[in-house]
Amino acid sequence: MADVTVSQFAEVLKVPVDRLLQQLGQAGIQVDGPNGIISEEAKHELLTHLRRTHGRDDAQGDAAPRKITLRRKSQSELKLASVQGRARTVNVEVRSKRTYVKREVLEDQARLQQEEIDRQRETEEQARAALEREEQERRERERLDRERQEEESRRRSDEEARQRTAEEEARRQAEVAAREAAEVARKAAAVAKPAPAKPVRTASDDRATRYGRQELHIAGDVSSRHKKKKTRDTRRRTFGESDGKHGFEMPTARVVREVPVGEAMTVAELAQKMAVKATEVIKVLMTMGVMATINQTIDQDVAVLVVEEMGHKPVVRKENEIESDLQGGQTDTFEMLSRPPVVTVMGHVDHGKTSLLDYIRRTKVAAGEAGGITQHIGAYHVETPKGMVTFLDTPGHAAFTSMRARGAQVTDIVILVVAADDGAMPQTIEAIQHAQAAKVPIVVALNKIDKPEADPERVKQELTKYGVIPEEWGGENIFVPVSARTGEGVEQLLESLLLQAEVLELKAPVEGFAAGYVIESSIEKGRGPVATVLVLRGTLKLGDPVLAGQEFGRVRALFDEAGRPVDSAGPAMPVVVLGLSAAPNAGDELLVVESERKAREVALHRQSKSRDVKLAKQSATMQDVLTAMGEAKASVVPVVVKADVQGSVEALRDALVGLSTGEVAVNVIAAGVGGITESDVTLAAASKAQIIAFNVRGDAAARAAIKDHGVEVRYYSVIYEAIDDVRALLTGMLAPEVKEQIVGLAEVRTVFRSSKFGTVAGCMVIDGYVRRNFPIRVLRDNVVIFEGALESLRRFKDDVNEVRAGTECGIGVKNYNDVREGDQIECYSRVEVARAL
């Protein structure tokens, strides 16, 4: 085709002129508009560009495309009926698009997938073959090792057999020589004495058999004929066959052992000490009527009977012998080094103890306390510019007396925080008494001096009544004015603490078994029993077997007060310990012992003793309650106490029991640490008790049990709210007090008889009023001679309910006819007054 214009070429190709111009521009062909001339070369360039654009290159030439997309467009008319009945025509255009892939492309894809599968299968077969080769080589090595060991064993056996044969041959030759010498001697004696003589058997002529019998020797030639020839198979020989005796013999006498018997021990431990199997001990226990498993603990009396029954000698340990010298006296052999002081912050509630410590620590502890009061005892290790100090923060509420006492027992110095605007309060005096009982020096921090109403001199004067005298007044106590809000005087307080610590010369051994004091304990979800421990001596490390009161375990993790994990803790260091069997009681001593077995044995011993004491105490308490109920019909409120930490459990239990009186009493049937469990709900339902939950909640099973049993659960986060609610409950159970109140007095002026009413007293009401249905007393010469009630009250001929002072009336006394002139009739009322604890 000759050269044509763009318009003509577009008409031939059946495409718009604009699109053809766009494609020519994309192909890099310059034309002069629709009337421009397109040469044959330009057409070929356009065709090459279009092929390349649609995925075809020059190598494919005129090959068909790998993928074709067809677009179709169809138009139709749709008639719709309108509301007025007239038809309306709507043009509908349908556009469709469909893509067709070339068969060769699909086949190539399938072929590639099959090749990939074949490669994977070949790789798996190669790996399997390699594993089989390795397994076969391993088996071959094991077979060779086994054959080599058997060969060595066979060689050693042959060597031993040859050695035994040589020994037997030498012994036989010696016996033959002895027999020949005896025969020569016998013949010589026969020649010397021709008379025949009876042969005498000597010890040399006898031979001991395997079973101890004595036999005469047989001549060598005869024995050689009748004796069975020895085989070379030495593998069937038994030990000791060379001397004709069995290698193992039954003991001639029974072995009697001395078995130490503790307060409580398991069946397995008892069997191990007697060197017998545990099943034998269980059989003996079953014959005695005791059903026990291998890990079950039996008491000392039963263990003694078992030891005697099995023929051994029991050695009963003395009481508390198991607890003597738990740490082996190691702490006495190490060097005493200086340690940081342990300082306890004590004082009345809301006097700023936690806020002062908060300023020293540069944290915000007081803001996170429920109700703004401290309810847990906390231990903090503070690195101050003046040195290292360990602080204990104690609660100031009246219910936490035991916590303050524990803080004073383990401390070196007590900071007594007293508000300068408030003065000495009940818990301030109690803190002074705890510190003086523990013989601990007191440093007084006069807090809140930034307030306008602060009066430090008045506070000093008040504290002198309790033996706390400032140094400037000739005493021994340091007084430091401070402000926890502004930080005034805090540096001087720290200097005073460290000065006091230098005077005390605090020292403790760093090496050896650690010993500490349980400040607080709780049970946390995901961590189990958690104990806050203040190390007193030694170094507590990960993996140490520990004993804390009635609990034992191994230190699994150590954390400081900020929650950071640590590897060890030295003297005066507070740490959080994980790994105990249960939450120990706050105040228990924590000791590192030689082994976990020792810790477990001592813990079980302590649990056994505590169980006996608890049962005895419970029986005595129930007897007292039943006696009180029988005598005074006392009302008892049963409760189950659950709290987050051990210190709160102790404080709450003591506070609730302290509310009991002669008429109403609180019976704490159970108290524990951790969330409410289903068993707690079941116990409360069986005892008809309510559950006091302090900073804890119940799990899913417990919540379902609470709904099923209808147990009342009260949740608290501030301890005095729980105490106030229980006090209100007990107050409502108190019987009201009945008080008598005189309301009127009437004087008898005349007495007359009535056939209808009997004796009627004509009276004048001289004070108050006389009311029908009120009780009365008849007084004669100011002495009560009768108590009763009004039978009738009349004013002239009318019955009335009340007669007031200055009015005459007629009074008929019920069941009493000895009313005389001059008597007085006293009318009174009974009023019930609510009582309070």
Side-chain angles (χ1 to χ4, degrees):
M1 183 169 54
D3 295 342
V4 295
T5 63
V6 174
S7 301
Q8 293 173 350
F9 192 48
E11 184 177 357
V12 171
L13 296 177
K14 301 286 194 281
V15 296
V17 178
D18 296 339
R19 184 177 179 186
L20 183 58
L21 289 173
Q22 182 180 2
Q23 291 175 349
L24 289 171
Q26 293 174 354
I29 301 173
Q30 299 294 331
V31 293
D32 297 333
N35 297 322
I37 303 299
I38 301 177
S39 62
E40 289 294 330
E41 292 81 3
K43 295 177 183 178
H44 284 291
E45 289 180 7
L46 178 61
L47 180 59
T48 302
H49 168 70
L50 292 177
R51 285 177 177 175
R52 188 180 299 111
T53 303
H54 289 84
R56 293 167 52 194
D57 52 14
D58 296 338
Q60 291 174 327
D62 297 333
R66 299 170 61 88
K67 182 169 61 176
I68 299 176
T69 301
L70 299 181
R71 295 180 176 84
R72 296 286 186 269
K73 181 172 67 175
S74 60
Q75 292 184 351
S76 61
E77 294 182 353
L78 182 65
K79 293 184 178 181
L80 299 176
S82 62
V83 179
Q84 291 80 8
R86 292 175 296 178
R88 185 163 59 93
T89 302
V90 177
N91 294 327
V92 179
E93 181 178 292
V94 180
R95 297 179 180 180
S96 60
K97 177 181 178 181
R98 189 169 183 178
T99 302
Y100 297 91
V101 180
K102 194 174 182 180
R103 184 181 303 274
E104 288 81 0
V105 176
L106 297 177
E107 291 177 353
D108 292 342
Q109 292 178 354
R111 179 175 52 79
L112 293 175
Q113 292 177 357
Q114 186 62 34
E115 291 178 355
E116 182 66 25
I117 293 172
D118 293 341
R119 282 196 301 271
Q120 292 180 357
R121 187 180 296 111
E122 184 179 357
T123 303
E124 292 175 357
E125 290 178 354
Q126 292 176 356
R128 191 180 300 109
L131 291 176
E132 290 178 355
R133 285 194 302 272
E134 291 179 359
E135 182 67 19
Q136 187 174 3
E137 291 175 358
R138 184 182 63 80
R139 292 177 181 175
E140 184 66 22
R141 287 195 302 270
E142 290 179 354
R143 185 182 63 79
L144 294 176
D145 293 341
R146 188 164 55 253
E147 290 179 354
R148 185 170 57 255
Q149 292 175 0
E150 291 176 356
E151 183 64 26
E152 292 178 357
S153 177
R154 189 180 301 110
R155 182 178 53 79
R156 286 196 299 268
S157 299
D158 293 341
E159 186 68 26
E160 292 174 358
R162 283 194 296 271
Q163 185 177 358
R164 284 196 298 269
T165 303
E167 293 176 355
E168 290 178 359
E169 184 65 24
R171 187 167 55 252
R172 188 181 63 79
Q173 290 178 0
E175 291 176 355
V176 170
R179 283 198 303 271
E180 291 176 352
E183 184 66 23
V184 171
R186 184 180 62 77
K187 291 179 178 180
V191 171
K193 294 181 181 181
K198 185 178 180 181
V200 180
R201 289 175 54 187
T202 61
S204 61
D205 297 330
D206 296 336
R207 180 167 56 91
T209 64
R210 179 181 303 178
Y211 303 101
R213 295 195 303 270
Q214 301 296 328
E215 294 181 352
L216 289 175
H217 282 297
I218 306 175
D221 53 350
V222 178
S223 62
S224 63
R225 288 198 303 267
H226 293 280
K227 187 163 57 176
K228 188 177 180 181
K229 293 184 179 180
K230 298 180 181 179
T231 61
R232 300 297 296 175
D233 189 7
T234 59
R235 286 177 292 179
R236 299 196 179 190
R237 293 179 179 269
T238 58
F239 294 102
E241 188 177 349
S242 60
D243 56 356
K245 291 186 178 181
H246 198 279
F248 300 98
E249 295 182 357
M250 181 179 294
T252 56
R254 183 180 181 86
V255 179
V256 178
R257 293 181 173 85
E258 292 185 354
V259 180
V261 180
E263 290 280 341
M265 55 195 313
T266 62
V267 174
E269 292 173 353
L270 184 60
Q272 184 180 9
K273 291 181 179 181
M274 290 190 294
V276 297
K277 293 183 178 180
T279 54
E280 299 296 329
V281 179
I282 294 175
K283 289 179 183 178
V284 175
L285 287 171
M286 292 176 66
T287 58
M288 297 169 57
V290 179
M291 305 300 294
T293 61
I294 190 172
N295 293 321
Q296 189 168 340
T297 304
I298 57 178
D299 58 11
Q300 192 176 54
D301 297 336
V302 176
V304 169
L305 293 176
V306 171
V307 173
E308 292 176 348
E309 183 70 19
M310 300 190 73
H312 298 287
K313 182 179 179 181
V315 179
V316 180
R317 283 181 175 175
K318 297 179 181 179
E319 187 177 2
N320 296 330
E321 180 183 356
I322 191 175
E323 297 192 16
S324 61
D325 200 14
L326 290 176
Q327 295 188 325
Q330 291 195 11
T331 55
D332 300 334
T333 61
F334 297 109
E335 182 183 1
M336 304 291 286
L337 303 176
S338 61
R339 63 171 177 83
V342 179
V343 180
T344 299
V345 184
M346 305 175 73
H348 192 70
V349 63
D350 200 27
H351 274 201
K353 299 180 295 299
T354 307
S355 298
L356 179 61
L357 183 58
D358 174 40
Y359 185 86
I360 298 174
R361 296 175 60 217
R362 297 294 193 275
T363 57
K364 294 294 180 183
V365 178
E369 299 286 354
I373 66 171
T374 300
Q375 303 184 108
H376 304 150
I377 187 168
Y380 311 101
H381 198 64
V382 180
E383 187 74 40
T384 66
K386 305 295 183 181
M388 193 174 296
V389 184
T390 296
F391 287 97
L392 299 182
D393 185 16
T394 62
H397 194 270
F400 296 96
T401 301
S402 57
M403 285 193 184
R404 285 189 294 275
R406 284 198 300 273
Q409 289 172 4
V410 297
T411 190
D412 301 316
I413 305 171
V414 167
I415 295 181
L416 182 64
V417 179
V418 185
D421 62 337
D422 199 3
M425 300 300 287
Q427 273 63 61
T428 307
I429 302 170
E430 182 188 311
I432 295 173
Q433 294 172 351
H434 288 318
Q436 291 174 346
K439 297 180 181 180
V440 178
I442 300 175
V443 176
V444 181
L446 298 174
N447 195 19
K448 303 183 182 181
I449 61 170
D450 55 321
K451 286 191 174 183
E453 58 271 20
D455 189 358
E457 296 300 324
R458 179 180 63 84
V459 176
K460 292 180 181 179
Q461 187 68 34
E462 290 179 358
L463 292 179
T464 55
K465 301 177 184 178
Y466 308 104
V468 182
I469 304 173
E471 287 182 336
E472 57 266 23
W473 291 4
E476 298 179 351
N477 302 106
I478 303 174
F479 280 66
V480 182
V482 297
S483 173
R485 188 173 63 86
T486 63
E488 180 183 354
V490 174
E491 293 294 331
Q492 183 181 355
L493 178 63
L494 294 177
E495 291 178 359
S496 301
L497 292 176
L498 296 172
L499 177 63
Q500 190 71 43
E502 290 180 2
V503 173
L504 294 175
E505 295 183 354
L506 304 172
K507 292 184 178 181
V510 179
E511 301 178 1
F513 288 161
Y517 193 84
V518 178
I519 299 296
E520 195 59 274
S521 64
S522 62
I523 297 178
E524 298 183 6
K525 186 175 182 180
R527 302 174 74 183
V530 176
T532 302
V533 177
L534 177 65
V535 181
L536 301 179
R537 64 174 185 269
T539 302
L540 184 63
K541 302 182 290 295
L542 292 176
D544 285 346
V546 292
L547 172 69
Q550 301 178 20
E551 310 304 332
F552 66 96
R554 188 176 292 274
V555 179
R556 290 193 293 106
L558 293 173
F559 300 94
D560 60 6
E561 68 272 8
R564 297 184 295 266
V566 295
D567 295 332
S568 61
M573 281 283 291
V575 285
V576 176
V577 178
L578 273 66
L580 292 170
S581 57
N585 294 327
D588 287 343
E589 185 181 16
L590 183 137
L591 298 174
V592 175
V593 295
E594 56 186 4
S595 64
E596 190 172 358
R597 179 180 178 182
K598 178 71 172 178
R600 181 176 180 271
E601 187 178 3
V602 178
L604 292 177
H605 167 70
R606 292 179 178 179
Q607 290 174 10
S608 177
K609 292 184 62 178
S610 175
R611 193 180 304 113
D612 296 340
V613 173
K614 187 181 296 183
L615 289 175
K617 187 181 297 184
Q618 285 181 355
S619 61
T621 305
M622 290 302 298
Q623 185 65 31
D624 295 341
V625 171
L626 293 175
T627 303
M629 291 179 65
E631 294 178 356
K633 294 183 174 54
S635 300
V636 180
V637 178
V639 296
V640 175
V641 177
K642 298 288 287 187
D644 53 347
V645 295
Q646 187 68 37
S648 298
V649 172
E650 182 181 353
L652 193 56
R653 181 182 60 230
D654 295 344
L656 295 180
V657 173
L659 297 175
S660 302
T661 63
E663 297 183 31
V664 291
V666 177
N667 181 21
V668 180
I669 60 177
V673 180
I676 303 172
T677 61
E678 187 176 4
S679 60
D680 296 329
V681 179
T682 305
L683 177 61
S687 306
K688 297 182 180 179
Q690 56 180 325
I691 299 176
I692 304 296
F694 185 72
N695 286 335
V696 293
R697 298 293 184 268
D699 53 15
R703 291 195 296 270
I706 290 171
K707 292 181 180 179
D708 295 340
H709 296 288
V711 176
E712 182 181 3
V713 182
R714 299 190 178 189
Y715 300 97
Y716 300 96
S717 59
V718 180
I719 190 168
Y720 57 74
E721 294 181 358
I723 298 172
D724 292 344
D725 283 358
V726 176
R727 180 185 287 111
L729 177 62
L730 295 177
T731 301
M733 298 175 65
L734 289 173
E737 183 180 0
V738 179
K739 292 186 177 181
E740 295 182 356
Q741 184 177 0
I742 300 174
V743 297
L745 184 65
E747 184 178 348
V748 179
R749 299 291 176 88
T750 183
V751 177
F752 55 91
R753 309 288 176 180
S754 172
S755 59
K756 184 177 181 181
F757 298 105
T759 302
V760 177
C763 303
M764 171 66 75
V765 180
I766 59 177
D767 187 18
Y769 58 88
V770 178
R771 183 173 296 173
R772 187 189 294 271
N773 298 327
F774 272 30
I776 63 171
R777 295 188 183 95
V778 179
L779 286 74
R780 186 172 295 166
D781 298 330
N782 294 325
V783 177
V784 178
I785 60 174
F786 178 78
E787 289 190 18
L790 289 176
E791 186 175 14
S792 63
L793 180 64
R794 285 198 167 199
R795 171 83 174 140
F796 298 107
K797 295 183 179 181
D798 300 328
D799 288 333
V800 293
N801 290 326
E802 180 180 298
V803 178
R804 294 195 168 271
T807 308
E808 295 180 346
C809 63
I811 297 176
V813 182
K814 189 174 184 179
N815 297 329
Y816 188 72
N817 295 322
D818 191 21
V819 181
R820 302 175 185 178
E821 293 183 6
D823 291 347
Q824 292 179 338
I825 298 177
E826 183 182 77
C827 183
Y828 64 95
S829 63
R830 292 188 176 93
V831 180
E832 292 185 352
V833 179
R835 298 168 58 194
L837 290 177

